[in-house]
């Protein structure tokens, strides 16, 4: 089949491209490289089943006939979407519409990457797909949260009014190789800091929680959703929940780093807790994550060591394998 992946130079998009090529598909990747990076698909330079076009999806485009559309384009880390607030709102609205129009024209299956941020700072815990969320519509994070909520409404409208064969995945915190080392996310920061011997920055008192999904588990869940006929949102994430302090301890243990903790102010509207209820994914997709945090961190360390070596001549810190 021919698959279109928007945001194909990003963290998740590039892993989806690899997975689709692995399944034998022909893949067309588009990305405007605002937050994506050529390095994430440099290994596909000689792959005849992969085509890349530098394309901002907020402008109409024509990838030719496609059977599958994975709409994965958006700034996604808090640092990126706070820098590119208007771009984030536009890609989640106009960009999603352009991708939906392609799916409509081609009669393609469509999967849109939504987010646990649709639940905002959740008052129900863990989060079920039926929870409507607790989102500040005008706060700093609203550029991301509301673009993603609008996108869900748009996708459901194309499903209801235009009969497009759509799916919505609500992605919970996901990590792995190809995260930008400087994207400001907690796993990126902690791994980079631990390997560089810098203090690990804990925002607030570190009691807020997140649940971390390794990237291959995430991609597998999304592929299963694309193969299903489930049109309402499905949470894909790892239900194992950690406080940010526990996450820091896990990173220190696995890297063997002697870094200390440094406390910094909590960002505005930072969700206090987040954990997916994945009953629906288990029942409808037969999916659940396989890789626990310590294993996923071990698999991610080599990427951060390579990034550190690439960006500076300073020797990277302790070796994850030694500590394992
Ligand atoms: N966080 C932290 N130190 C960091 C980066 C993040 O304590 O260096 C916290 C952040 O305040 C949040 C959690 O870790 O509570 C997850 O942040 P991230 O930016 O990874 O994503 P979010 O889940 O907030 O979208």
């Amino acid at each position: 089949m021919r698959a279109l992946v928007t945001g194909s130079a990003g963290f998740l998009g590039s892993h989806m491209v690899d997975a689709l090529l692995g399944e034998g598909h022909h893949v067309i990747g588009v990305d405007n490289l605002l937050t994506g990076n050529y390095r994430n698909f440099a290994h596909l330079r000689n792959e005849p089943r992969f085509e890349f076009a530098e394309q901002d999806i907020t402008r109409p485009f024509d990838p030719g006939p496609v059977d599958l559309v994975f709409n994965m384009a958006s700034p996604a880390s808090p640092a990126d979407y706070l820098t590119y607030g208007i771009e984030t709102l536009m890609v989640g609205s106009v960009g999603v519409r352009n991708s939906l129009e392609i799916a409509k024209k081609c009669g393609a299956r469509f999967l849109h990457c939504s987010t646990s941020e649709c639940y905002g700072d959740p008052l129900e815990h863990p989060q079920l797909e039926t929870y409507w969320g607790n989102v500040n519509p005008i706060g700093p994070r609203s550029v991301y949260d509301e673009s993603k909520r609008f996108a869900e409404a748009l996708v459901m409208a194309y499903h209801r009014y235009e009969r497009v064969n759509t799916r919505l995945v609500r992605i919970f915190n996901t990590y792995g190789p190809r995260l930008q080392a400087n994207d400001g996310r907690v796993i990126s920061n902690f791994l980079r800091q631990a390997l560089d011997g810098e203090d690990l920055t804990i925002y607030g008192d570190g009691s807020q929680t997140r649940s971390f999904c390794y990237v291959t588990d995430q991609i597998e869940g999304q592929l299963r959703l694309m193969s299903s006929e489930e049109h309402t949102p499905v949470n894909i994430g790892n239900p194992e929940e950690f406080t940010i302090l526990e996450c820091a301890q896990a990173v220190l243990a696995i890297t063997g780093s002697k870094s200390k903790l440094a406390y910094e102010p909590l960002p505005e509207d930072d969700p206090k807790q987040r954990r997916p209820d994945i009953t629906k994914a288990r029942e409808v997709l037969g999916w659940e994550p396989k890789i626990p945090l310590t294993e996923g961190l071990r698999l991610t360390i080599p990427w951060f060591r390579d990034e550190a070596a690439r960006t500076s001549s300073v020797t990277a810190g302790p070796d994850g394998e030694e500590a394992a």
Side-chain angles (χ1 to χ4, degrees):
M1 286 199 272
R2 282 171 62 89
L4 170 66
V5 177
T6 75
S8 65
F11 166 54
L12 286 181
S14 66
H15 281 283
M16 182 58 77
V17 168
D18 286 344
L20 292 167
L21 290 169
E23 292 194 344
H25 301 299
H26 187 106
V27 182
I28 299 140
V30 299
D31 201 303
N32 68 349
L33 302 175
L34 182 69
T35 59
N37 198 305
Y38 273 118
R39 284 198 309 282
N40 289 340
F41 61 97
H43 58 289
L44 301 176
R45 211 174 292 116
N46 298 318
E47 171 54 67
R49 286 183 292 113
F50 179 65
E51 295 168 43
F52 177 75
E54 191 170 331
Q55 171 71 49
D56 179 347
I57 68 162
T58 64
R59 297 177 187 280
F61 64 105
D62 181 7
V66 290
D67 308 289
L68 306 171
V69 176
F70 291 85
N71 193 57
M72 309 183 79
S74 178
S77 69
D80 280 344
Y81 63 67
L82 294 174
T83 303
Y84 299 113
I86 294 172
E87 290 85 347
T88 301
L89 282 159
M90 297 313 285
V91 77
S93 50
V94 179
V96 177
R97 184 177 190 204
N98 286 334
S99 297
L100 282 161
E101 284 291 330
I102 290 167
K104 179 180 149 189
K105 185 170 142 199
C106 297
R109 287 170 170 254
F110 183 92
L111 180 144
H112 174 68
C113 286
S114 189
T115 168
S116 56
E117 281 284 320
C118 287
Y119 303 123
D121 190 1
L123 303 177
E124 288 186 12
H125 194 71
Q127 291 78 55
L128 269 167
E129 289 87 347
T130 47
Y131 177 50
W132 290 357
N134 177 40
V135 172
N136 178 350
I138 57 164
R141 293 175 90 106
S142 65
V143 293
Y144 187 67
D145 299 6
E146 295 295 14
S147 92
K148 290 290 187 177
R149 287 164 66 96
F150 176 82
E152 288 201 359
L154 191 62
V155 169
M156 290 309 295
Y158 267 75
H159 179 64
R160 293 191 178 111
Y161 300 119
E162 302 286 356
R163 308 242 165 260
V164 177
N165 191 353
T166 61
R167 289 137 193 84
L168 285 166
V169 54
R170 288 196 182 137
I171 300 172
F172 283 67
N173 295 60
T174 300
Y175 68 100
R178 300 187 195 157
L179 275 177
Q180 303 168 60
N182 61 352
D183 72 4
R185 285 174 165 138
V186 66
I187 299 268
S188 320
N189 275 4
F190 285 178
L191 278 176
R192 187 183 54 72
Q193 290 160 342
L195 294 173
D196 285 353
E198 293 174 18
D199 291 351
L200 272 54
T201 48
I202 309 282
Y203 300 162
D205 63 5
S207 65
Q208 71 273 35
T209 68
R210 293 294 186 273
S211 306
F212 301 103
C213 185
Y214 189 65
V215 63
T216 52
D217 282 333
Q218 178 63 240
I219 295 295
E220 171 67 19
Q222 293 186 21
L223 287 170
R224 287 193 188 206
L225 179 57
M226 184 58 116
S227 300
S228 80
E229 291 301 329
E230 179 57 52
H231 302 299
T232 59
V234 180
N235 291 338
I236 297 290
N238 192 321
E240 213 186 347
E241 183 179 5
F242 297 85
T243 67
I244 293 306
L245 266 181
E246 288 168 342
C247 175
Q249 304 298 354
V251 168
L252 291 177
I254 199 92
T255 56
S257 170
K258 302 273 181 292
S259 289
K260 304 272 181 290
L261 304 182
Y263 289 84
E264 295 192 2
L266 193 66
E268 194 177 335
D269 293 338
D270 197 279
K272 284 180 272 308
Q273 53 185 1
R274 188 183 285 156
R275 173 158 74 99
D277 184 313
I278 61 164
T279 307
K280 187 170 174 183
R282 281 198 175 104
E283 288 178 355
V284 177
L285 311 178
W287 174 89
E288 62 181 8
K290 298 189 181 74
I291 302 193
L293 182 62
T294 45
E295 176 63 11
L297 288 173
R298 198 193 327 277
L299 293 168
T300 308
I301 286 169
W303 165 260
F304 279 86
R305 290 176 63 86
D306 289 352
E307 283 295 280
R310 199 183 56 75
T311 51
S312 81
S313 55
V314 179
T315 317
D319 190 320
E321 285 169 13
E322 281 169 22

